[in-house]
Amino acid sequence: MIQYIKDYSFKNKRALIRVDFNVPLNSNFQITDDTKMKATIPTIQKVLNKGGAAILMSHLGRPKGGYEERFSLKHLVHYLTNTFNTKVHFAKDCVGPDPQKKSKALKPGEILLLENLRFHPEEKAGDETFAKALATLGEVYINDAFATAHRSHASTSTIAQYFKEKIAGYVMQAELENANRVLKNIERPFTAIIGGAKVSDKIVLIENLLEKVDNLLIGGGMSYTFQKALGGSVGASLLEEDYIKLASQLLEKSAKKGINLFLPADIVVADCFTNEATIAISDGKIVQEGWIGLDIGPETQKKFATIIQNARTILWNGPMGVFEMPNFNKGTKAIAKAVVKATEKGAFSLVGGGQSAAALNSLGFSDKVSYISTGGGALLAYIEGRELPGIAALHVDKHFLPLPCFSSE
């Protein structure tokens, strides 16, 4: 059983919260996309409003094992101060004397932001000593970083065993509830749209979805391996030779289960991999030598849109083409519009994956689908049926190891 934040009183308690502040910064260290930080506001505000103090810990970027100015969380203090209109303290490290001193001095209603967890290699290693040091900073542990829940890191998994009171934040709760709607509480027809570059990245996902969906729409670079498995010619399109046999097996499995698996009937091809390339429309099964498939074609856009708009449950993960290039993003945008229309008609829509979300944002549709997941890899892992360490660690029946050095006074 997992305890959720709405059921807890934080009066006079220091809540150690694992948030996901892995946000992009420009050359002036200004936040260019605050989506992840916005998502955590309700959890932090709940702690503050209920008389507690919030100690925030997160990673940022991929530091190489030590301090790097561009990855310092100190650049986020101004944003937090403006957002919460309260005193925001900053610890120059996440463990050691400075955070210990500032944590003990923290008053109800205040925030302490710790320095980047990944400046210490022990974080990714799931080191117990490092996790214990973090645990001494708070009296209750909250994990609100679903995007890192599939990692066995010190701050997301190892640390939980040192807290009797461990809680899922609002982001974590929303992610689990919405993912379960496409896993357990399915209203049919259920249509999944899967795109992206490589079939090798989505094998387990597709296998699990074949046990649940009514319609499976496959686009993007991964579709060419399936076309090849059917005997088609893919020209110079992305092809994973080692996965042709597996793609064939997935096609056979879908047919045996009566699943409607759709591949692009037509595609947009180019004579080279640039936005300025010469473009043509090709049969999805016959790509001429030297040409590259870079998007789904207009007929496929219409067909996929019709299937999507008739669905009652929708899962979308991955672009239909090279979304970064304007000449090859029309397929992805068509899917985004279709998902929105279906949602307006009462369908439940769950969108996961950076470029799928980017397509919705670019069209101003981010608030017109049921839910956009903040955790691409974690969402895929959960839908694949894997146990996520960050979630498993929150179960209150897990073994509790009290810290002898910890004091709640």
Side-chain angles (χ1 to χ4, degrees):
M1 184 181 74
I2 293 176
Q3 184 176 9
Y4 292 110
I5 192 168
K6 63 182 177 65
D7 304 318
Y8 194 83
S9 173
F10 294 94
K11 188 173 182 180
N12 295 322
K13 291 196 175 181
R14 290 168 290 163
L16 182 61
I17 312 174
R18 179 48 160 105
V19 291
D20 180 12
F21 284 175
N22 186 28
V23 294
L25 304 175
N26 63 20
S27 57
N28 294 318
F29 306 118
Q30 296 169 321
I31 301 165
T32 57
D33 183 351
D34 67 349
T35 303
K36 290 183 177 181
M37 296 188 72
K38 272 182 169 178
T40 65
I41 291 174
T43 292
I44 300 168
Q45 197 69 64
K46 166 81 172 182
V47 172
L48 303 180
N49 289 348
K50 292 299 181 179
I55 302 165
L56 311 180
M57 55 179 177
S58 178
H59 73 285
L60 174 61
R62 296 181 177 179
K64 294 181 171 63
Y67 179 85
E68 292 183 47
E69 176 73 10
R70 60 182 175 145
F71 295 136
S72 174
L73 266 66
K74 68 182 181 183
H75 306 304
L76 310 185
V77 171
H78 180 70
Y79 179 95
L80 292 171
T81 301
N82 288 343
T83 300
F84 294 100
N85 193 29
T86 189
K87 179 66 177 178
V88 179
H89 305 269
F90 179 70
K92 296 178 181 179
D93 204 342
C94 56
V95 292
D98 187 47
Q100 282 285 346
K101 180 180 178 181
K102 289 176 178 173
S103 171
K104 289 176 181 176
L106 205 59
K107 298 174 183 177
E110 294 184 343
I111 294 172
L112 171 61
L113 176 64
L114 306 182
E115 184 55 285
N116 194 334
L117 292 162
R118 291 191 186 172
F119 285 165
H120 294 263
E122 294 89 347
E123 159 65 1
K124 292 178 70 174
D127 183 79
E128 291 199 3
T129 301
F130 182 70
K132 284 180 184 178
L134 290 171
T136 60
L137 300 176
E139 294 151 297
V140 55
Y141 170 70
I142 302 173
N143 192 343
D144 210 28
F146 178 77
T148 63
H150 58 316
R151 309 292 189 193
S152 296
H153 292 174
S155 68
T156 61
S157 178
T158 314
I159 191 173
Q161 65 188 313
Y162 304 115
F163 285 90
K164 189 173 184 179
E165 297 175 305
K166 43 200 172 188
I167 299 169
Y170 285 123
V171 172
M172 184 73 77
Q173 181 177 356
E175 292 280 357
L176 294 175
E177 289 176 348
N178 283 284
N180 283 334
R181 288 195 64 174
V182 302
L183 290 175
K184 302 173 183 177
N185 309 313
I186 302 169
E187 187 177 353
R188 299 191 180 279
F190 177 15
T191 295
I193 312 111
I194 306 299
K198 296 181 178 181
V199 66
S200 56
D201 293 336
K202 308 283 175 77
I203 291 168
V204 181
L205 174 66
I206 293 172
E207 285 180 331
N208 202 35
L209 286 174
L210 288 177
E211 302 294 331
K212 303 179 185 300
V213 301
D214 301 294
N215 304 299
L216 180 59
L217 315 181
I218 295 180
M222 63 187 296
S223 68
Y224 304 110
T225 301
F226 284 93
Q227 295 284 22
K228 189 70 173 179
L230 290 171
S233 57
V234 299
S237 306
L238 181 64
L239 176 65
E240 291 184 281
E241 295 273 3
D242 294 343
Y243 289 89
I244 293 173
K245 184 177 179 180
L246 182 56
S248 180
Q249 291 171 350
L250 291 173
L251 289 164
E252 290 175 10
K253 183 176 180 179
S254 68
K256 286 180 181 177
K257 287 185 167 290
I259 306 300
N260 301 311
L261 191 154
F262 296 93
L263 296 170
D266 66 331
I267 57 174
V268 180
V269 295
D271 62 352
C272 61
F273 191 75
T274 67
N275 189 57
E276 294 74 28
T278 300
I279 296 172
I281 304 298
S282 169
D283 184 303
K285 296 179 183 177
I286 308 171
V287 180
Q288 297 299 319
E289 196 68 32
W291 288 78
I292 313 167
L294 297 179
D295 198 6
I296 58 173
E299 289 304 314
T300 300
Q301 292 172 29
K302 292 177 186 176
K303 184 175 182 178
F304 280 15
T306 299
I307 296 167
I308 292 166
Q309 288 172 43
N310 288 325
R312 296 298 299 169
T313 301
I314 300 165
L315 170 67
W316 178 24
N317 177 268
M320 297 291 101
V322 185
F323 182 73
E324 305 90 332
M325 298 183 188
N327 285 332
F328 307 108
N329 65 13
K330 295 179 179 62
T332 303
K333 288 187 173 182
I335 296 301
K337 292 176 182 178
V339 171
V340 168
K341 286 184 179 179
T343 308
E344 290 173 345
K345 290 165 61 177
F348 171 77
S349 52
L350 172 60
V351 179
Q355 290 179 319
S356 305
L360 290 166
N361 289 333
S362 69
L363 294 167
F365 289 164
S366 57
D367 61 344
K368 298 184 183 299
V369 297
S370 303
Y371 191 75
I372 299 177
S373 175
T374 60
L379 177 67
L380 291 186
Y382 190 70
I383 294 175
E384 286 170 1
R386 288 158 51 190
E387 181 180 74
L388 306 192
I391 294 171
L394 287 175
H395 284 268
V396 295
D397 55 348
K398 287 280 186 180
H399 185 53
F400 167 54
L401 299 175
L403 295 169
C405 60
F406 176 72
S407 172
S408 60
E409 295 179 359

